[in-house]
Amino acid sequence: KQWYQRRVAITAGIVVQVFLAIYMMLAAVLMLNLLIAVFSKTYETMTVENRDNLLWKWQRYDLMMEFKQRSAVPFPLSLIAYVLRLVRWLWRRCCSCGSAQFFERREAQKKNDEYKKAQMSLLERECLRNIIKKIEVDAQKERGSDPE
């Protein structure tokens, strides 16, 4: 009887150790899988936030340019503002522009404005190219192929 009880105790100890080893291996695999899932979710979130941030900057730029071109006063008073702009333009055009310096300044300002518009257009094109390229690279990554 003692021999049988010792044999059962030894067998039970071995079975417990085998089950513990299996449990530890499964726990390690599950933890590794969970870690991979968390990193994947974090990477996804970062890329989406980056894309959202880029889109937000583009929309903010567009809104700022729209506000720059509009009048600062509300509608009924904006008519007065436009009339005042017209009067000021006519005054500059007809009365106070007798000197050649005025025309030189005006031409220099026009050239500067054209240069700024050209630079802004180049910047807009470059930003648009970068946005399109990022979207294409992201789409290719989602399909699983190399970007280049």
Side-chain angles (χ1 to χ4, degrees):
K1 230 176 174 181
Q2 269 184 332
W3 175 82
Y4 179 72
Q5 286 176 347
R6 255 188 294 159
R7 184 84 169 147
V8 169
I10 291 172
T11 307
I14 291 173
V15 169
V16 168
Q17 288 181 355
V18 168
F19 280 137
L20 182 63
I22 292 172
Y23 173 77
M24 294 299 283
M25 284 191 295
L26 284 176
V29 168
L30 287 175
M31 289 296 206
L32 184 62
N33 193 10
L34 182 64
L35 182 67
I36 290 170
V38 167
F39 280 147
S40 175
K41 182 67 176 171
T42 302
Y43 178 74
E44 249 180 59
T45 304
M46 285 176 21
T47 56
V48 167
E49 285 176 2
N50 190 18
R51 197 178 308 156
D52 290 344
N53 192 17
L54 195 61
L55 180 63
W56 175 78
K57 286 179 183 177
W58 181 263
Q59 289 175 343
R60 181 176 178 222
Y61 164 77
D62 191 36
L63 184 67
M64 290 172 82
M65 294 309 287
E66 183 179 341
F67 277 131
K68 183 179 179 186
Q69 294 170 354
R70 288 187 178 203
S71 176
V73 292
F75 171 67
L77 300 177
S78 66
L79 295 175
I80 297 170
Y82 288 126
V83 169
L84 289 175
R85 280 186 191 173
L86 178 66
V87 168
R88 185 174 39 187
W89 180 78
L90 288 173
W91 177 260
R92 286 184 180 167
R93 193 79 167 161
C94 298
C95 301
S96 66
C97 57
S99 66
Q101 288 178 346
F102 176 79
F103 288 115
E104 290 173 6
R105 255 193 334 252
R106 187 73 176 160
E107 289 300 317
Q109 186 179 8
K110 283 182 183 178
K111 287 180 183 178
N112 190 19
D113 288 345
E114 290 172 3
Y115 175 75
K116 284 181 181 179
K117 285 180 184 177
Q119 291 292 68
M120 189 60 70
S121 177
L122 289 174
L123 176 68
E124 288 172 355
R125 280 192 218 132
E126 185 177 340
C127 289
L128 188 59
R129 265 191 238 117
N130 288 341
I131 289 171
I132 291 172
K133 187 174 181 180
K134 280 188 177 192
I135 291 172
E136 287 174 352
V137 167
D138 289 344
Q140 287 177 353
K141 283 182 182 178
E142 287 176 3
R143 286 189 297 233
S145 63
D146 286 335
E148 309 238 334

